[in-house]
Amino acid sequence: MRSPRPSLVPLICCLALLPTLALAQNLRFTTIDIGQGDSAVLVAPSGCAVLFDGGPTGSGRTIKTYLKSIGVTRLQMVFVSHMHADHMGGIDEVDVGTDAVPIDAVYDHGGTYDSGAYDEYVAHFGARRQTASLGQTFSLCNEVTLKVVNSGSTHSDENSKSVAVKISYGSFDALVGGDLTGISPDIEAVLAPRVGEVELYKVHHHGSKYSSNAPFLAALLPTVSFISVGIGNTYGHPTPECLARLADVGSAVWMTEDPSINQKLGHIALTSADGSSFTVSQGSVSTTYPSKTPDTQAPTAPGSLVASAASFSEIDLSWSASTDNKGVTGYRVYRSDNGSSFSQAGTSSTLGFADLGLSSNTPYWYQVSALDEAGNESPVSNTASATTPAEPGLHLTLTSPNGGEIWKGGSRQNITWSSSSVSNVKIEYTLFNSGPWTVIASSVAASTGSYTWTLPNTDSARVRIRVSDAQNGIPVDTSDNVFTLTASRPSQVIINEILANEPGSSTGSEFIELVNAGGVTVDLAGWTLWDGAAARHTFPTGTLLAPGKALVVFASSTAIPSGMTNAMGASTGVLSLNNTGDTVSLRTGAKNLLVDSYTYTGAQASVDGVSINRNPDASATGAFVLHTTLSPRSSSPGARTSGAAF
């Protein structure tokens, strides 16, 4: 179904689809027809490519065929909107096979999910899996900007956690947001002001009636809307309610398949030379639309700014809202300590701001301006001032963390303070610089001066701690500056290199190299290395393997090269690796669970002194090849194939 937008006159219609080479220097966005599921690809004019979702299991072949047809042989990144199988089941299939399109990195909301498709996804991509953070931006070939405008949510509904990405290229903007919800919970209401008007809306949830709500569409006013849907779906997608709301805002609807007439329509390809206009093509039909005029109108100035001292080190601000022709996206707060020279103190997405870490008994002056999506800044508000009170004998000072620290999510760290005349301390944290605040401990004896905190396993570079009198709320003190949390990644130890055919006749030179391809240190104590017949080595207590590091087990400790510190001799004195082929296995300790194994052939052990190594080196998905195909070196125990250190 394609209903043209009444308010726009197409520049070109009903033209045959141009050859790929003619569009090679254009921006290209294609919603790929994979039935009832979702997958789309974005290609920058210079060829960098991003995949959004990978459809259900079995979609990999269709996706790879299309990518190869437009000249895409590698994907710089993939955004996985959420963990439902119809969006992620085929992603790993794109990355495998003789016709593979290699994927450099995958980005998702960072959560977990109970499904076979999720387990396969995590196992396949390992360390290539990254968490997409709200506000994170990417530059594709330095030509196209990608901004994460939603990633995860506090709700249990997996659809509501979908990663949403805004694409910007000149005057052209698009939104791709998986199955984001507009009703119970209404994530679209939060998303709309972050996005603004767009040319292309990749319709949420295949046209479900629970997405694409009216206020959201009124904020986006999409020129065209693409729906990925299958003719055999049992959900009624796209629903009449969704189609009616799209029609109400005059958006031209294009669908990969039309269930109402039981017809497959095919891939929907959008191209644009410079962003000022764009062409949508499907089959033999092609229509060109103009992009919207860039917004140059600034918001009105905020009004009624009021400043009041909340404590000896905090002044709270409030103001009335600005208005804008496209919508206000946030506010900038400016501070002065002399009433005449102002500098930015922070930003806010609400009508208030808490200015923290100020000096006591000191006057401060403030002004506020408004911003819109295009970056236009309003005139400043009226000037408001407040003076922090003098600090009496009552005293509470946060001493750690105080800014600049980098802490691992899930670890235990000490929060410390000094105090006088305070009985109990309330401890809170924020991931967003100035709030909202989450309670760590509601009441801790101030005299202890310390509290051990188990950090949340998440990513944020804007974390602060706040301590306050648990009874009165004052005094209060906050980290002087932000610090960083980095989420812990799963561990993954792999067999990376095997030398079965030792140089000469000394079998003591046989070795097996392990690499930690995961994100956390692994304790190998009690783990075992096997050949095809028996356990040949048991790792002693205290054997730790850090992320990205290697450890080598030689058949004999006498064969360890001088100066090599990341190596040990087999506990049995032998590895017994057969030159005619054998199986090498790594197992855990008490449970004897298989961690990794590889069966090599006689051909792979036919040359004296030449090992087999994963390609790519240290990759959990890499295939084993002769070392001499990767490097002039015959082997590289404990080092990269190039000889560089891990």
Side-chain angles (χ1 to χ4, degrees):
M1 171 181 169
R2 291 186 289 272
S3 53
R5 185 173 183 176
S7 59
L8 294 174
V9 179
L11 302 180
I12 303 174
C13 65
C14 303
L15 293 181
L17 183 62
L18 296 177
T20 300
L21 290 178
L23 302 175
Q25 300 305 310
N26 291 345
L27 174 82
R28 176 186 289 266
F29 180 92
T30 302
T31 294
I32 303 172
D33 183 7
I34 44 81
Q36 184 65 18
D38 227 323
S39 185
V41 62
L42 171 70
V43 185
S46 294
C48 300
V50 177
L51 189 68
F52 296 90
D53 289 335
T57 300
S59 301
R61 181 177 300 277
T62 299
I63 296 170
K64 288 187 284 189
T65 298
Y66 179 75
L67 294 178
K68 296 290 181 68
S69 75
I70 60 172
V72 174
T73 58
R74 188 173 201 89
L75 291 164
Q76 277 61 49
M77 64 185 74
V78 173
F79 286 100
V80 181
S81 64
H82 62 298
M83 306 309 179
H84 285 164
D86 62 325
H87 286 251
M88 67 178 298
I91 292 174
D92 56 339
E93 299 169 353
V94 176
D95 194 48
V96 298
T98 57
D99 60 343
V101 179
I103 295 170
D104 291 343
V106 294
Y107 290 83
D108 58 48
H109 62 60
T112 60
Y113 196 70
D114 184 13
S115 75
Y118 170 80
D119 293 340
E120 291 176 8
Y121 163 74
V122 172
H124 180 80
F125 288 104
R128 287 183 287 170
R129 182 188 179 199
Q130 307 290 325
T131 298
S133 301
L134 178 64
Q136 189 174 10
T137 59
F138 303 85
S139 180
L140 193 61
C141 274
N142 293 317
E143 296 168 328
V144 185
T145 299
L146 308 177
K147 183 176 181 180
V148 178
V149 291
N150 192 77
S151 182
S153 77
T154 59
H155 301 277
S156 59
D157 178 42
E158 181 63 21
N159 289 333
S160 72
K161 301 177 182 180
S162 292
V163 174
V165 177
K166 181 178 181 181
I167 302 165
S168 297
Y169 176 65
S171 298
F172 174 83
D173 295 295
L175 176 66
V176 184
D179 284 356
L180 270 179
T181 53
I183 301 174
S184 298
D186 185 1
I187 304 300
E188 292 176 339
V190 179
L191 184 65
R194 300 173 184 163
V195 178
E197 293 188 17
V198 297
E199 278 62 44
L200 165 63
Y201 169 42
K202 176 67 180 56
V203 177
H204 295 158
H205 204 179
H206 321 285
S208 164
K209 67 180 179 180
Y210 301 111
S211 298
S212 307
N213 66 46
F216 173 71
L217 293 178
L220 266 63
L221 292 177
T223 305
V224 297
S225 297
F226 291 179
I227 302 178
S228 180
V229 67
I231 57 175
N233 83 84
T234 59
Y235 309 104
H237 295 161
T239 62
E241 295 91 337
C242 177
L243 294 175
R245 291 193 292 264
L246 290 168
D248 286 344
V249 295
S251 186
V253 175
W254 298 70
M255 296 189 291
T256 55
E257 302 181 11
D258 190 344
S260 68
I261 58 174
N262 198 36
Q263 183 177 354
K264 295 185 177 183
L265 303 175
H267 311 316
I268 311 168
L270 180 153
T271 57
S272 178
D274 59 7
S276 62
S277 63
F278 59 96
T279 299
V280 180
S281 303
Q282 187 178 46
S284 61
V285 179
S286 183
T287 305
T288 297
Y289 306 88
S291 294
K292 296 165 183 163
T293 304
D295 177 22
T296 59
Q297 181 176 330
T300 61
S304 305
L305 176 63
V306 175
S308 59
S311 73
F312 313 111
S313 60
E314 177 180 341
I315 291 178
D316 291 344
L317 306 176
S318 64
W319 57 87
S320 58
S322 298
T323 59
D324 183 69
N325 62 318
K326 301 292 186 180
V328 174
T329 58
Y331 296 88
R332 284 180 180 162
V333 177
Y334 296 94
R335 179 180 62 217
S336 171
D337 57 8
N338 58 21
S340 59
S341 178
F342 288 82
S343 59
Q344 185 170 326
T347 61
S348 175
S349 58
T350 66
L351 299 178
F353 181 80
D355 196 14
L356 308 172
L358 303 174
S359 300
S360 62
N361 196 30
T362 303
Y364 294 94
W365 290 262
Y366 295 91
Q367 295 173 341
V368 177
S369 65
L371 297 169
D372 63 16
E373 177 64 29
N376 299 310
E377 184 172 8
S378 75
V380 296
S381 66
N382 60 292
T383 301
S385 65
T387 300
T388 53
E391 190 170 0
L394 196 65
H395 165 75
L396 177 61
T397 301
L398 179 70
T399 54
S400 177
N402 227 3
E405 295 87 352
I406 300 176
W407 285 353
K408 181 73 70 174
S411 66
R412 291 167 59 83
Q413 302 289 344
N414 287 331
I415 299 171
T416 61
W417 61 86
S418 62
S419 65
S420 62
S421 302
V422 175
S423 299
N424 293 284
V425 173
K426 180 180 180 181
I427 309 171
E428 303 166 281
Y429 77 94
T430 178
L431 299 176
F432 308 103
N433 188 19
S434 60
W437 295 92
T438 301
V439 175
I440 298 172
S442 58
S443 184
V444 178
S447 59
T448 63
S450 177
Y451 180 84
T452 301
W453 178 35
T454 300
L455 279 64
N457 193 28
T458 188
D459 290 304
S460 175
R462 305 174 65 201
V463 189
R464 286 183 190 260
I465 298 293
R466 180 167 73 182
V467 293
S468 60
D469 187 320
Q471 182 176 358
N472 302 314
I474 295 176
V476 60
D477 193 29
T478 307
S479 304
D480 289 346
N481 212 327
V482 295
F483 62 96
T484 299
L485 288 186
T486 58
S488 298
R489 313 298 180 201
S491 63
Q492 187 175 26
V493 179
I494 62 171
I495 299 168
N496 189 58
E497 185 178 1
I498 302 169
L499 178 62
N501 191 342
E502 71 286 344
S505 58
S506 175
T507 59
S509 298
E510 295 175 352
F511 70 78
I512 301 170
E513 178 189 76
L514 306 181
V515 170
N516 185 350
V520 295
T521 297
V522 179
D523 185 352
L524 299 180
W527 288 29
T528 53
L529 277 174
W530 296 61
D531 69 349
R536 303 300 182 182
H537 176 69
T538 300
F539 289 93
T541 299
T543 307
L544 302 177
L545 187 55
K549 299 299 183 181
L551 178 62
V552 186
V553 177
F554 285 87
S556 171
S557 60
T558 61
I560 299 175
S562 176
M564 181 180 290
T565 58
N566 58 338
M568 61 180 62
S571 58
T572 64
V574 294
L575 291 177
S576 297
L577 302 179
N578 294 322
N579 293 354
T580 56
D582 208 338
T583 297
V584 177
S585 303
L586 174 65
R587 295 179 176 272
T588 61
K591 294 186 178 180
N592 197 33
L593 299 176
L594 181 65
V595 176
D596 195 15
S597 69
Y598 182 69
T599 299
Y600 62 86
T601 65
Q604 290 179 304
S606 61
V607 183
D608 279 6
V610 176
S611 68
I612 54 173
N613 201 99
R614 286 189 185 266
N615 180 27
D617 190 22
S619 167
T621 58
F624 278 93
V625 298
L626 289 175
H627 197 286
T628 49
T629 66
L630 303 175
S631 165
R633 299 170 179 270
S634 58
S635 65
S636 57
R640 297 277 185 182
T641 54
S642 63
F646 275 100

